[in-house]
Amino acid sequence: MPTRRTWLAIFSLAVGLLAAGTAGAWLLHPATPVAHEVRTLWYKAVAVTSFFLILAEGLLLIVVLRFRARPGVKAATFHENFRLELLWTAIPALALVYLAGPSFSTLKYLETVPKSDLTVEIIGHQWFWEYRYPGYGVVFANEPLVIPAGKIVAADVTSIDVVHSWFLPDFGVKMDANPGRVNHTWFQVAKPGTYNGQCAELCGVLHAEMFITVNVVPPEEFARWIEQKKRGA
């Protein structure tokens, strides 16, 4: 019969999984090449670290069961084994070296903005986002960002007051918006649709309401939309 503590643990786990649902979008349905790259790296890291987790917990279970205290049996007194300690230090170190390569290559992939079809400027305010399209002279705020599907979009991210973070899980993008500094990122979304995110840096009393919405539309629809914006519609 499950105890109250067991039910509490199950409830906490369920709440945690639900809360992580949005943040884990990059894992469940990545929408950009960057999100795919991050997910592949995550799979590699989980595979490598899971091996050591299962090995350690398995050995612990064996030791607990096999060498548990028994009446009349003298307890073991040894407490170190140099070769064993060297082995279990060297193998995880090699695993970290193995993961370092794809980690650095993924980081470089994230930070290297390719030749883009469109540049947008993302500016954080307390507590809303301003978007600028410098190639078209379009500026607006408190509206969804609109980008064309299939096109490479370069984003320059900054802030005018405090530190914010433009976090869109489906894109695999979480870029800090710092006052006095411009950070660069990029995304290319193949599938039209609406994608949601939120500021990921505690930035004040209305931080929880600083949402992000990006509408990805076909290029023809984007061309019509940008013309309407240029006319002030």
Side-chain angles (χ1 to χ4, degrees), residues 76-195:
T77 56
F78 67 89
H79 57 83
E80 64 183 30
N81 185 308
F82 177 75
R83 290 183 178 178
L84 183 60
E85 292 178 4
L86 185 64
L87 184 67
W88 71 36
T89 301
I91 293 179
L94 291 175
L96 292 177
V97 171
Y98 169 77
L99 287 175
S103 298
F104 282 113
S105 63
T106 299
L107 186 61
K108 185 176 181 180
Y109 185 65
L110 298 176
E111 295 179 343
T112 304
V113 180
K115 184 179 180 182
S116 62
D117 302 297
L118 173 69
T119 298
V120 296
E121 295 176 356
I122 301 172
I123 304 168
H125 298 252
Q126 286 182 311
W127 291 270
F128 62 91
W129 296 100
E130 175 188 347
Y131 298 112
R132 299 178 180 176
Y133 296 68
Y136 299 94
V138 171
V139 179
F140 59 86
N142 264 336
E143 294 180 25
L145 176 69
V146 180
I147 59 173
K151 302 296 183 183
I152 296 176
V153 179
D156 300 332
V157 186
T158 188
S159 167
I160 67 162
D161 39 46
V162 300
V163 177
H164 303 277
S165 186
W166 201 79
F167 178 39
L168 208 93
D170 292 286
F171 290 10
V173 171
K174 180 182 177 295
M175 182 56 68
D176 282 351
N178 301 319
R181 179 185 175 89
V182 179
N183 291 323
H184 307 282
T185 187
W186 67 281
F187 32 85
Q188 182 183 28
V189 189
K191 185 179 178 182
T194 299
Y195 301 87

Side-chain angles (χ1 to χ4, degrees), residues 200-225:
E201 191 71 45
L202 186 59
C203 57
V205 294
L206 295 182
H207 160 71
E209 298 180 11
M210 199 168 170
F211 299 110
I212 299 167
T213 301
V214 178
N215 290 334
V216 181
V217 299
E220 301 78 14
E221 185 177 338
F222 174 79
R224 290 193 295 272
W225 175 84

